Amino acid sequence: MDDIDLKKIILSDAELSILKNINQIILPLGPQRNLTTFIGAIFSLHPEALTLNHAGIRILNNPNLCFFDDCRREIQENFLKASIRLLQDGERGALGGSILKAHAFADDIGMQNLYKEKYGDVLLKPNAKTLFWKDSYRIQAHLSQRSDGYTQLLSSFENVKFVLPVRNPIHSANSNIRTGHARKLISNQTFTFENVVTYILTN
């Protein structure tokens, strides 16, 4: 599902019921390696929450799905339709999908067991009301391209909320450097511990 074609997304009655029930979209902000995977995993264990892992590269540049740029209810509903389908599959990395495919679950048998004990093989919880979209770096970068990006989104949708996880900036910087994510934060120059910490503190 590299290119999301809305014409091919025909939701079942069960999926449509979930679409109708979702009344809150939570968007985390901040750099990568800022504990959003951990937070998304916690959301995924709640019976009324779903966590979409990444997928920003397939959503934010699609005018039929990006309700950040086109703040109409129709576009937000398209986003939710696509999310419901993405939540039932996916892979780790940028293409995203279900949080169960992310490293927080794929590499942690404890998290896998916690989820299975509560929900078995169910990926779409029927009582879900909240969607947590875990792609903070891409979300923030996209919204920051416009001076009114945040205010326009919040004034258009009462069901959109932002959260900003706060991790020790030294730990965050070390994690970004260790994993190579610092290359995305510090472009066009050699990244160092000092400029990565500075980026985290000022963005």
Side-chain angles (χ1 to χ4, degrees):
M1 197 173 179
D2 293 346
D3 295 318
I4 301 174
D5 186 352
L6 285 169
K7 295 178 181 178
K8 295 181 179 179
I9 299 178
I10 309 298
L11 300 185
S12 66
D13 289 343
E15 291 172 324
L16 287 170
S17 177
I18 293 171
L19 175 68
K20 183 179 179 181
N21 286 339
I22 293 177
N23 58 25
Q24 185 169 232
I25 300 172
I26 299 180
L27 304 173
L29 302 175
Q32 291 176 306
R33 314 304 297 173
N34 199 33
L35 302 180
T36 52
T37 300
F38 177 70
I39 295 168
I42 292 174
F43 266 97
S44 73
L45 294 174
H46 194 285
E48 295 184 355
L50 300 167
T51 299
L52 177 64
N53 183 49
H54 293 309
I57 59 173
R58 293 189 278 178
I59 292 171
L60 295 173
N61 293 319
N62 187 327
N64 295 314
L65 301 176
C66 185
F67 64 98
F68 296 179
D69 298 334
D70 187 343
C71 295
R72 289 182 292 156
R73 291 286 176 185
E74 173 189 348
I75 304 301
Q76 189 187 84
E77 185 167 311
N78 288 345
F79 160 77
L80 289 172
K81 286 180 181 177
S83 296
I84 285 172
R85 188 53 51 84
L86 288 168
L87 283 162
Q88 298 174 75
D89 199 0
E91 59 187 69
R92 61 194 301 162
L95 288 180
S98 170
I99 187 67
L100 273 67
K101 307 290 185 178
H103 63 85
F105 278 91
D107 299 339
D108 191 328
I109 191 67
M111 290 299 294
Q112 293 177 38
N113 289 338
L114 278 174
Y115 190 92
K116 288 181 179 179
E117 286 173 10
K118 293 173 69 71
Y119 308 111
D121 295 326
V122 174
L123 296 177
L124 285 179
K125 288 164 279 185
N127 297 318
K129 297 178 181 178
T130 294
L131 175 67
F132 180 83
W133 182 13
K134 188 197 82 68
D135 209 346
S136 60
Y137 174 75
R138 292 185 181 87
I139 288 170
Q140 179 168 309
H142 192 93
L143 286 169
S144 297
Q145 291 175 2
R146 295 172 50 172
S147 60
D148 64 345
Y150 296 96
T151 55
Q152 182 178 6
L153 188 63
L154 290 174
S155 63
S156 299
F157 300 111
E158 293 182 356
N159 65 341
V160 171
K161 310 293 182 185
F162 290 109
V163 294
L164 178 59
V166 178
R167 181 183 185 184
N168 184 313
I170 293 175
H171 296 167
S172 181
N174 282 329
S175 182
N176 272 284
I177 291 169
R178 185 180 68 254
T179 59
H181 287 97
R183 295 187 188 93
K184 298 178 182 179
L185 305 180
I186 309 298
S187 58
N188 302 321
Q189 58 178 303
T190 301
F191 64 80
T192 64
F193 174 79
E194 287 76 13
N195 60 20
V196 172
V197 168
T198 298
Y199 176 91
I200 289 169
L201 290 171
T202 58
N203 286 274

